Amino acid sequence: MKYLFFTNTPAQVHQYRRAVTTLRERGHDALVLARDYGCTVALLDHYDVPYESYGRVGTDKFSLASELPKHAARIVLETRRFDPDCVFGRGSFAALAGTVARAPVVLVDDSETTDLDHAVAVPLADAVLTPHTFEKDLGESHYEFRGFKECAYLHPDEYQRQSDIRDELGVGPDEEFAIVRLNAFGSHHDVGQAGFTPAKRRELIERLAERATVFVSDEGGELDTEETPARPFDLHPALLHDALAEASLLVADTQTMVTEAALLGTPAIRSNSFVGDDDMGNFVALERAGLVYNLKEFDAVLDAATDILSDETAAERWRTLREEYLDDKVNLTEVVVEVAERAASSGGLDARSLDRVAGLDSRSADRDADRALPFGAVRSDGGEETRSRHETPPRRAARDERARDRDGARDRDRTEGNRR
């Protein structure tokens, strides 16, 4: 069988690289169609993944729109040349390739905000796989897995450190260091969104540098680190997860690295315009698990970062939370490989074949409460109502609220036990 995978971003290289390797080891042919964006190509070369580039795009908001016709033409050409039996990806490009090849299309998506992509791609897909926290119903072909797309490479069964990262970074064995990740907001789903302003970026770095060595990963390349007490993260991008696993803290106005930090057991603070009552389900779930702070107010970001870097027990506590949270989460690479081989054995994908895939469940309207997380139920910055009820700082109010919830649950358990 021939499998075609789309990697439009660096994170999607990680998402599929192990599945590509596994399928090739089992005698199948697999190819990646890659967009030259950020470090996507550098990662594919590093991991020796077979690929063809369908085009490149910059980090500004208008770069993608101007390149779309050329991208579509190249995708059609490469798809016809490879002639895949099944296509994996996300959005309209994968749907286009599947239509051209007349092959089953599997979309793996974790963003509820990409309405246009969903409108175009979902009707053409044979299966749409999303995390269990995904709040949007995408129809009959919608299946969910317990975990996130990052579980394809950061699940405990998959992730292995590649380096002595402290030596690579030039930090001591006990030296505290923090990573600041800055988003370029150049993707189509980032239009109209924003993160830290230039002034807030500088203030954040200065405050963090009072307590830790600071490394900056700047997607847009706009920050001059020589004007700040920070160092650029200038190692190969394949080593970023090793650095993230060893860091004392991540502060970011981007998305993916926050989830990655949580799955590695590193305290993470996320602040951008996505945060709010309509936030994406995965970040609400990670916050509810105590692994992530989602904060709109910049003062709350500074306060939370200071608290974490001053807390000698933070590293151990986050590691424990991470182990507990990942206990029932799937290895997404195994799910993708099984879906691919089901498509091979049955000549296509339908409900009967997908229902047999371990770790996948058809998304139903009566999902249980732990899956359908109520937006706004836990906000690290409290929200207006919480701030009016509590005079403590916003992050402490949320922490107290979580503690009360846990205590209430324990009291109910004890009461039920006494009754029995």
Side-chain angles (χ1 to χ4, degrees), residues 6-303:
F6 278 82
T7 60
N8 302 327
T9 65
Q12 289 167 20
V13 174
H14 291 296
Q15 179 181 335
Y16 288 124
R17 60 184 174 83
R18 290 178 174 270
V20 169
T21 299
T22 301
L23 288 168
R24 286 169 60 83
E25 288 172 349
R26 295 183 182 183
H28 302 290
D29 195 0
L31 176 70
V32 166
L33 270 186
R35 181 168 65 194
D36 186 356
Y37 173 77
C39 59
T40 299
V41 170
L43 288 172
L44 289 165
D45 287 334
H46 176 84
Y47 291 112
D48 196 24
V49 177
Y51 74 94
E52 295 288 343
S53 174
Y54 66 77
R56 70 180 309 275
V57 67
T59 57
D60 63 277
K61 287 182 169 64
F62 305 104
S63 178
L64 178 59
S66 65
E67 295 292 326
L68 277 176
K70 289 185 284 187
H71 288 179
R74 185 64 185 270
I75 287 168
V76 170
L77 177 66
E78 293 295 340
T79 300
R80 286 177 173 166
R81 181 178 297 165
F82 185 63
D83 192 24
D85 298 297
C86 188
V87 178
F88 285 84
R90 171 174 172 167
S92 54
F93 287 164
L96 171 63
T99 301
V100 169
R102 296 182 179 179
V105 175
V106 181
L107 306 179
V108 184
D109 197 347
D110 68 340
S111 176
E112 294 99 333
T113 63
T114 52
D115 293 334
L116 179 58
D117 257 356
H118 293 156
V120 172
V122 171
L124 300 174
D126 295 81
V128 184
L129 316 183
T130 70
H132 66 291
T133 56
F134 195 89
E135 288 298 307
K136 205 171 177 181
D137 188 345
L138 297 178
E140 294 181 0
S141 61
H142 188 173
Y143 284 75
E144 61 186 21
F145 54 89
R146 288 196 67 76
F148 307 111
K149 73 178 192 299
E150 292 82 4
C151 288
Y153 53 99
L154 295 182
H155 188 278
D157 293 342
E158 293 291 341
Y159 173 66
Q160 294 179 338
R161 296 198 184 197
Q162 303 180 62
S163 63
D164 186 338
I165 194 62
R166 286 186 172 273
D167 283 348
E168 297 280 355
L169 290 172
V171 297
D174 299 317
E175 185 175 347
E176 299 261 3
F177 71 91
I179 297 175
V180 173
R181 171 64 171 175
L182 302 174
N183 197 349
F185 289 93
S187 298
H188 68 281
H189 54 268
D190 290 330
V191 173
Q193 305 295 338
F196 297 126
T197 64
K200 288 178 178 177
R201 291 178 173 189
R202 289 191 294 272
E203 183 178 356
L204 171 65
I205 291 168
E206 289 170 0
R207 288 285 296 273
L208 293 177
E210 294 173 2
R211 291 172 170 78
T213 301
V214 180
F215 292 93
V216 175
S217 173
D218 181 9
E219 185 181 36
E222 298 175 354
L223 181 73
D224 184 356
T225 53
E226 292 186 0
E227 297 180 355
T228 72
R231 307 182 202 173
F233 181 86
D234 53 9
L235 301 181
H236 193 283
L239 300 182
L240 185 56
H241 295 137
D242 287 359
L244 199 54
E246 190 71 14
S248 300
L249 173 68
L250 168 75
V251 182
D253 61 6
T254 186
Q255 315 284 16
T256 298
M257 273 186 64
V258 172
T259 304
E260 292 174 336
L263 298 186
L264 290 167
T266 298
I269 299 170
R270 167 177 168 262
S271 182
N272 55 38
S273 56
F274 287 104
V275 174
D277 289 342
D278 293 325
D279 206 348
M280 288 169 272
N282 57 323
F283 295 110
V284 176
L286 290 170
E287 183 172 61
R288 193 173 195 175
L291 290 164
V292 165
Y293 288 120
N294 297 309
L295 302 168
K296 261 192 181 298
E297 302 299 328
F298 185 64
D299 287 345
V301 172
L302 297 179
D303 288 343

